[in-house]
């Protein structure tokens, strides 16, 4: 099944940002044959700008609503709940993007078969 993944990255090479500190998410698209490519960049603005206001988090979640997963180095439980309410599963991982997506595909197969 084809799906999209929001990636919290500063470098473009690693998942290296806290969800609330990421203002532009790279988006990877996973294909039916488990290949992937960068498909988009979504400018969300910051979810946490000093304090974590749930309205800001909801705005970010709305902008990421085309994604099935959001990968970040860290995410608070409140933000993870807001994303889940929008159908986006938040996962914490600090790794190179390629390795993180490989792990995600294994996770997705195990949880969606």
């Amino acid at each position: 099944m084809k799906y999209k993944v929001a990636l919290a990255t500063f470098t473009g090479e690693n998942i290296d940002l806290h969800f609330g500190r990421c203002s532009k998410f790279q988006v990877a698209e996973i294909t039916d044959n488990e290949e992937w490519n960068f498909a988009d960049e979504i400018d969300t603005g910051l979810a946490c700008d000093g304090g974590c206001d749930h309205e800001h988090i909801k705005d970010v979640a709305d902008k990421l609503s085309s994604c099935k997963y959001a990968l970040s180095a860290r995410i608070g439980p409140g933000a993870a709940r807001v994303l889940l309410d929008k159908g986006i599963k938040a996962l914490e991982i600090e790794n190179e993007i390629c390795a993180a997506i490989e792990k995600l595909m294994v996770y997705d197969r195990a949880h969606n078969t």
Side-chain angles (χ1 to χ4, degrees):
M1 184 167 121
K2 197 173 185 180
Y3 57 93
K4 293 182 180 178
V5 182
L7 309 167
T9 178
F10 179 74
T11 62
E13 297 174 9
N14 301 301
I15 306 297
D16 52 12
L17 282 176
H18 186 290
F19 178 84
R21 302 281 188 263
C22 187
S23 61
K24 290 183 183 178
F25 288 81
Q26 293 294 317
V27 177
E29 186 171 67
I30 314 299
T31 65
D32 290 335
N33 59 354
E34 293 195 342
E35 294 179 1
W36 69 274
N37 57 24
F38 288 109
D40 201 0
E41 179 179 87
I42 300 174
D43 186 353
T44 60
L46 293 174
C48 294
D49 190 13
C52 289
D53 179 345
H54 278 254
E55 288 306 312
H56 289 291
I57 298 168
K58 286 178 185 175
D59 290 343
V60 171
D62 285 341
K63 291 176 182 175
L64 298 178
S65 64
S66 67
C67 298
K68 181 177 181 179
Y69 294 102
L71 304 183
S72 61
R74 297 283 178 266
I75 186 167
R81 274 191 304 278
V82 170
L83 287 175
L84 196 55
D85 287 346
K86 296 286 184 181
I88 306 164
K89 175 76 174 170
L91 299 170
E92 289 184 345
I93 185 168
E94 282 188 81
N95 210 328
E96 292 178 336
I97 290 173
C98 291
I101 290 175
E102 291 295 324
K103 288 181 179 189
L104 176 64
M105 287 189 288
V106 170
Y107 174 89
D108 187 70
R109 274 193 312 271
H111 290 87
N112 293 297
T113 52

